[in-house]
Amino acid sequence: MNLKRLELLGFKSFAKKTVLDFESDVTAIVGPNGSGKSNVAEAFRWALGEQSLKSLRGKRGEDLIFNGSAGHPKLNHASVEVVFNNKERVFAIDFDEVAVSRHIYRDGTNEYFINGTKVRLKDVIELLSAVSLGVSSHHIISQGEADRILNANMFERREMIEDALGLKVFQYKKEESEKKLEKTRENIKEVESLRREIAPHLRFLRKQIEQVKKAEEMRAELISIYKEYFKREEEYLNNFRVVLAKEKGDPDAKLKAVDSEIVRLSAVLGSANTADPAKVTRLRELDANIYELRSKKNNLEREIGKLDALIEIKSVSEEKGPENRNIRINEKGERICIYCAQVVPRVVDEVREDEIKQAREKEVSEIRAKRDEVEKMIHSLHESESRVLAEQDLIRAEIESKKDEFRDSERALYELRAERSNLLSILNSVRAKEEKFNMEEGAFKMEQTEAVVLAGREAANFRDFVIPAETAGEPRVVQEERRRKIERIKIRLEDMGNSGEDVLKEYNEAEERDRFLEKEIGDLTRSAEDLEALMAELSEKVNTEFKKGVERINKQFNEFFMLMFGGGSAELTLVVPQKKKSVEETALGVAMPNEEAEEEGVDINVSLPRKKIKGLQMLSGGERALTSIALLFAVSQVNPPPFLILDETDAALDESNSKKYGDMLENLSKISQLIVVTHNRETMSRAGILYGVTMGADGVSRLLSIKFDEAVKIAK
Ligand code: ATP
């Protein structure tokens, strides 16, 4: 890589676009005082990220913009572009050229560009520090700053040397890590404070959760009791239902049968209440018949009596004088037949008895015949009567049997009614049981709904519950006790409130947040530890590299010093400052060594030949310039910067030292491109390109390529 070009536009005295090409190893810028040479050196410094206005000889940003003159108006914008050759890809950019430019406006706004792309200052610094062009600008030695490194304190010196050794990039990384670490520690503190903030709430929620867990346990117990309770209750109700159906079914069917029997019997009784009128009429007819038959029979019997009396009379008078035997004398002395009560005529004369006997026999026989006839009639009447009586008996029997049937029905009806009322009372009691059943069944269903609300769906999921065989027939009171237990748990659960889910949700959220914060602290702590490790590693690397670098610089420094002073010695020494061994308490409680206290500073020890001078402060201006040049060149030799700008570094040198200086320049130009602002003839003679800077009456700097002789003239 090498420096290719510098373009200025509106920067300080360069009002017009001015381009400097650096095609030689040594480029000299010459010109009269105040023409703008140093402005060129400052243009580099500024374009490459310088933030100190003081080092740019300005107070405000706008001091860097061309301020106008009698012949030229003031400008509102200044820009400087530095162009590098990047064919070897020294910069991590895939272009052959890298152009770093900076712009400034009167309002103080700064803009940075890398190859035309707007970037941040940080990007520019990162890009340049990778090629040892850090912001300490050790490669740009401004006018009067040749002994800057001598004037600096030991830490500033260390910084310059670190920068020159290309270690700044590690320091940046370290600083960045430190910033990150600081931020991380702040974050840890913040997260810890957040964690502390939620801790009391979390504790409170934890207690609540214990309650919730208790409620959960109770709910689980409730579910288990519920399952058994429901299972048993279902069984109980099923049995109850069966018993009820049975209890109700029998009397119900019976009642129906009884009712229909009552209807039937009532109908029967209704119809059987009066005797059959035909039969009654017939009975009456038969009574009349009997009466008639008996009258006839009586008459005929009387007739028989008469006939029998006649026969007797006839028979007695014939044999023994029937009149004496069959006649009695009444109180009147009259003769009365005992049979016919007539009276009895006076016995006729016995003379005619025989005739009479015959007549009587005949008569008796006739009477007898008649009697037989009457007897037959009586017999016939008797038979008729018997028939009538039989019919009568039959009808009566029929009527009686009808009556019996009525009475039986009446009795049966009575019994049925009694049974009916009995059945009704049974049914009433069944109905009462039915009501009880309905109530219990309703309560069972309601309880299930309540159980689901209170303890979740699982509570009603009781069908799989198996009743232990040994308690299968437990008395109902046990179930009632179970029910009371359920009620007790329900009341306690209700007392605990129903906010369990909310609390759990809140607790889970809070705990998750706490865990997240804990993890965050863990992560942050780990990243803090990583950063600390990285910082330690970087410190270690910087320290090691620095020590190695200082060793190598010392070798060159001593050589250049001896060359310049014709003897003596010079070296850089690392000085451990008087530090307080302080430790900082970090948020992690880890004792961190105070980094700054650990850092070593750089001291410069010189010993001039033939002089007993050891301290820097005792050197003359020229000696200081020589010492710093020797050191600068030594550093540049060890870690050559891409280019080195030396603004009148040679101002204090006498002729012989100017020569030595010129020799060293030539040597150095083999490893670093050199841009020298000089009035020194010797120095000019070593340059491949000479630029003359002039300033006319318009106050605008102008640049021209010139020859050595011209340069000498201009410089004078
Ligand atoms: P010397 O040889 O004396 O060191 P020099 O050539 O290095 O001089 P510079 O210091 O570069 O000169 O230039 C100084 C000149 O630049 C001054 O004349 C100053 O007025 C001019 N200048 C500085 N800032 C501005 C500005 N913002 N606008 C116009 N001119 C400016």
Side-chain angles (χ1 to χ4, degrees), residues 131-132 138 164 552 634-643 668 671-672:
V131 293
S132 298
H138 64 281
R552 286 162 65 203
V635 170
S636 302
Q637 198 81 25
V638 168
N639 190 42
F643 64 92
L668 195 60
I671 51 172
S672 283

Side-chain angles (χ1 to χ4, degrees), residues 40-265:
V40 174
E42 279 165 1
F44 273 106
R45 190 189 279 278
W46 180 71
L48 300 183
E50 179 62 80
Q51 296 301 301
S52 155
L53 278 169
K54 201 178 152 202
S55 70
L56 298 166
R57 294 181 297 165
K59 279 187 183 157
R60 299 164 302 162
E62 61 179 341
D63 291 343
L64 306 178
I65 305 169
F66 179 73
N67 209 25
S69 64
H72 209 287
K74 76 171 185 181
L75 299 175
N76 291 321
H77 158 254
S79 70
V80 174
E81 183 171 75
V82 183
V83 182
F84 298 94
N85 181 351
N86 191 36
K87 280 199 172 124
E88 287 165 22
R89 298 293 184 267
V90 177
F91 291 104
I93 291 180
D94 199 18
F95 285 100
D96 286 352
E97 270 188 2
V98 170
V100 177
S101 63
R102 183 171 177 179
H103 295 242
I104 187 163
Y105 299 86
R106 287 227 170 257
D107 64 0
T109 310
N110 277 273
E111 284 173 350
Y112 301 87
F113 295 84
I114 293 175
N115 282 4
T117 303
K118 199 168 175 180
V119 294
R120 296 164 299 172
L121 169 64
K122 187 173 171 277
D123 303 316
V124 175
I125 291 171
E126 262 179 30
L127 179 81
L128 297 173
S129 55
V131 293
S132 298
L133 290 175
V135 284
S136 77
S137 310
H138 64 281
H139 54 287
I140 302 173
I141 311 298
S142 301
Q143 194 178 358
E145 278 199 336
D147 59 353
R148 184 158 62 115
I149 196 161
L150 305 190
N151 294 331
N153 67 35
M154 62 178 169
F155 297 112
E156 287 166 345
R157 232 175 257 143
R158 179 181 173 119
E159 208 177 322
M160 285 178 198
I161 290 167
E162 272 180 3
D163 198 4
L165 288 172
L167 299 176
K168 212 65 203 157
V169 65
F170 301 113
Q171 288 290 24
Y172 287 141
K173 279 188 186 162
K174 211 177 122 188
E175 277 165 29
E176 224 166 75
S177 303
E178 198 157 6
K179 276 184 203 153
K180 277 189 196 161
L181 182 63
E182 210 172 299
K183 186 88 198 134
T184 306
R185 284 177 189 154
E186 270 172 31
N187 286 344
I188 290 173
K189 272 187 193 163
E190 261 173 44
V191 177
E192 278 177 337
S193 119
L194 279 178
R195 215 178 156 206
R196 270 197 302 279
E197 261 173 45
I198 66 165
H201 187 53
L202 195 62
R203 271 200 299 279
F204 168 74
L205 286 174
R206 213 167 265 144
K207 269 193 189 155
Q208 296 265 93
I209 283 302
E210 274 168 29
Q211 280 285 99
V212 171
K213 277 189 185 145
K214 215 173 190 179
E216 275 308 305
E217 281 167 22
M218 279 170 63
R219 204 161 277 131
E221 191 192 356
L222 184 64
I223 287 173
S224 125
I225 299 177
Y226 256 141
K227 282 189 177 188
E228 183 168 4
Y229 175 80
F230 285 144
K231 183 72 181 189
R232 286 185 187 276
E233 198 64 8
E234 189 186 51
E235 250 186 36
Y236 161 80
L237 287 171
N238 283 346
N239 290 339
F240 198 163
R241 192 181 289 111
V242 170
V243 169
L244 210 58
K246 212 172 145 199
E247 277 188 13
K248 192 187 164 191
D250 254 16
D252 226 21
K254 273 187 191 157
L255 186 68
K256 269 185 199 130
V258 164
D259 275 345
S260 76
E261 188 61 9
I262 285 172
V263 169
R264 191 188 65 79
L265 283 181

